[in-house]
Amino acid sequence: MQTFRTATEAALALRPDVPVYCFRPQVLMADARAFMDAFPGETAYAVKTNGEPMVLETLSKAGVTMFDVASPGEFAAVRAVAPKAGMLYMHPIKAQSDIRLALETYGIRVLSLDHEDEVAKILRIVRALDLDPATVTLFVRLQTKGQAAYELSKKFGAAPAHAVELLQRCHRIGFKVGICFHVGSQIEDPETYERALASADWVRNRADVPLAGLDVGGGFPAEYGHDPRRKKPQMPGLGQIMSRLRSDLTEWGFSDVPLVAEPGRVVVARAFSLIVRVLLRKGRRLYINDGIWASLSDSWTGKITLPARFIPDPARTTRNGDPNTVGAFRVCGATCDSVDILSRPFWLPETVDTGDWIEIGHIGAYSLSLRTRFNGFYPDTFVEVTTPFDEGGDVQGFASLETMAD
Ligand SMILES: *Cc1c(COP(=O)(O)O)cnc(C)c1O
């Protein structure tokens, strides 16, 4: 992988026509360590956020020894780069064959569930493999209500009374038991964890079984950009959220229970930016070489605001517009699909034109892990960049919050 000081230097040297991911291993290590230092338990990185080998390897080097996995592909990806790392199989609804693979081939001993039929599936395989249930920890996934940009509790999780039954059932069989929840991604309300902890406390008291662990999931917010026309949102930083979480854990009496967190976004978001090229400017529209079916599906949902940096092509000698005025441009993706248009405009200098590049920052989470081969486009070019995005020169534009009318 070629190394550059900044993405701007990479763009000007390579003049890329394809999207280029700028990987910042030092940023990834620093963000992983910051999380591990602040969280009073084990950190299990959620592989689905970005499962690239370079990411898993760097995390392993940074001292991450646990990974939250959900599929055979993720088991293999972790094992390939971190053979000694522990894996938590935290998908509540699993294929029978995948449970067997996890227990038999990968030696995974921590699984989650939210229904009694899943207990039966796991038990059948535990018996078939002649394993002692006491060597297996089953986390009962608790339904949570909260505010996050991506609400996931609608899909998984047992209601509190059901969770009590599940804990007792697993305990009676002889499994170790724990409680887990996942409040959704990019929480928007710092009270979210406390509400989940209150619910976990209710469940623990009624279940009255020894608790082998509490897993607070992911959801920790990453820093993104903000709409230049609006006030900066008053979301507390990770430090504040963590100190709040630590005091909530104490207050609800969970400080003596082994704790796990499954951060994804907050660990990996800042570790990548993406250089895209403007293939054509048509009025207020920019047609770029990436889009919702590649790296930008997370921003397409319109829930996050990505910071962006303008990289003008020095080969263009004439430009129209005032370079000091920033305006909103609608961004159309690379595929022929008519929905491949970002829901938020990019704010860029009025002079932006065909052939220019845009560096989109903080795009390490749910970007390359979600890219598809749709229409034959598959961005897969990487460079290493040594300067953090925020220090790589002025951020001139933002992929903003407002939906734009054509
Ligand atoms: C996706 C996921 C995570 C990671 O969530 P982030 O918001 O990226 O931190 C953690 N746990 C589970 C169970 C998940 O599904």
Side-chain angles (χ1 to χ4, degrees):
M1 212 188 304
Q2 277 186 278
T3 301
F4 297 89
R5 201 177 57 83
T6 63
T8 301
E9 288 183 9
L12 297 180
L14 304 172
R15 304 186 53 78
D17 257 345
V18 293
V20 175
Y21 296 109
C22 302
F23 177 43
R24 292 168 172 83
Q26 290 87 349
V27 172
L28 181 58
M29 285 208 189
D31 286 353
R33 288 192 179 128
F35 188 94
M36 289 189 284
D37 288 346
F39 182 72
E42 292 265 20
T43 297
Y45 171 71
V47 174
K48 79 167 187 291
T49 317
N50 185 332
E52 289 298 306
M54 69 186 90
V55 168
L56 302 179
E57 214 174 317
T58 304
L59 288 173
S60 176
K61 260 192 237 158
V64 175
T65 55
M66 288 247 254
F67 292 85
D68 161 22
V69 290
S71 65
E74 293 186 352
F75 309 159
V78 170
R79 186 55 56 85
V81 303
K84 293 201 182 114
M87 289 191 256
L88 313 179
Y89 189 5
M90 300 308 278
H91 195 315
I93 299 178
K94 302 165 279 299
Q96 186 105 1
S97 49
D98 294 348
I99 299 171
R100 178 181 268 272
L101 187 76
L103 291 169
E104 189 177 27
T105 307
Y106 286 92
I108 294 173
R109 291 293 178 269
V110 179
L111 302 89
S112 80
L113 56 90
D114 64 2
H115 195 272
E116 47 281 5
D117 289 356
E118 194 76 7
V119 182
K121 269 154 68 179
I122 295 168
L123 182 58
R124 210 173 301 138
I125 294 160
V126 163
R127 294 227 167 99
L129 296 175
D130 197 23
L131 295 173
D132 177 359
T135 62
V136 176
T137 304
L138 299 182
F139 276 86
V140 173
R141 170 102 167 232
L142 191 57
Q143 215 173 56
T144 57
K145 280 203 188 61
Q147 256 188 325
Y150 301 93
E151 213 10 278
L152 296 183
S153 53
K154 286 191 193 89
K155 183 166 175 183
F156 297 124
H162 188 195
V164 170
E165 270 175 50
L166 289 169
L167 283 169
Q168 291 172 338
R169 177 189 294 255
C170 295
H171 173 70
R172 266 198 313 275
I173 294 168
F175 290 114
K176 287 205 193 77
V177 296
I179 297 175
C180 68
F181 52 78
H182 176 53
V183 294
S185 204
Q186 189 72 9
I187 60 155
E188 290 167 339
D189 172 5
E191 313 259 312
T192 306
Y193 291 107
E194 176 163 26
R195 275 195 295 271
L197 289 176
S199 178
D201 178 58
W202 188 93
V203 169
R204 167 182 60 179
N205 292 337
R206 272 156 195 78
D208 195 26
V209 297
L211 217 53
L214 174 73
D215 182 336
V216 302
F220 303 90
E223 273 179 48
Y224 288 113
H226 70 279
D227 190 312
R229 291 166 306 176
R230 295 189 174 198
K231 243 179 59 199
K232 205 169 177 189
Q234 288 304 302
M235 190 59 200
L238 182 66
Q240 274 172 280
I241 289 181
M242 276 298 187
S243 70
R244 172 83 194 265
L245 177 60
R246 281 194 302 265
S247 67
D248 291 342
L249 285 162
T250 310
E251 194 181 316
W252 291 99
F254 284 109
S255 40
D256 55 342
V257 178
L259 299 171
V260 186
E262 304 161 350
R265 189 186 289 279
V266 73
V267 168
V268 80
R270 294 196 325 134
F272 287 82
S273 66
L274 178 70
I275 302 168
V276 298
R277 193 162 202 186
V278 178
L279 302 178
L280 194 91
R281 172 172 173 178
K282 203 192 267 186
R284 305 300 304 173
R285 287 181 168 208
L286 302 177
Y287 291 79
I288 64 167
N289 58 359
D290 201 300
I292 67 161
W293 299 109
S295 325
L296 299 170
S297 64
D298 199 31
S299 61
W300 167 62
T301 60
K303 302 238 167 109
I304 57 171
T305 303
L306 294 165
R309 173 177 291 120
F310 181 45
I311 308 173
D313 180 359
R316 172 175 282 277
T317 49
T318 59
R319 288 183 181 273
N320 297 317
D322 176 4
N324 298 314
T325 307
V326 166
F329 292 88
R330 194 155 185 65
V331 179
C332 300
T335 70
C336 303
D337 186 356
S338 58
V339 309
D340 189 3
I341 301 178
L342 299 193
S343 57
R344 300 176 185 202
F346 277 20
W347 288 80
L348 295 164
E350 285 294 339
T351 48
V352 61
D353 215 327
T354 303
D356 291 335
W357 294 277
I358 302 164
E359 183 190 14
I360 304 173
H362 301 190
I363 200 168
Y366 307 107
S367 52
L368 45 164
S369 58
L370 285 168
R371 76 204 132 134
T372 73
R373 292 185 191 277
F374 180 47
N375 228 178
F377 296 105
Y378 188 76
D380 204 27
T381 305
F382 292 84
V383 297
E384 199 174 304
V385 166
T386 53
T387 311
F389 176 81
D390 295 321
E391 292 162 27
D394 280 351
V395 175
Q396 281 138 320
F398 294 93
S400 123
L401 206 86
E402 299 271 298
T403 306
M404 239 184 122
D406 264 303

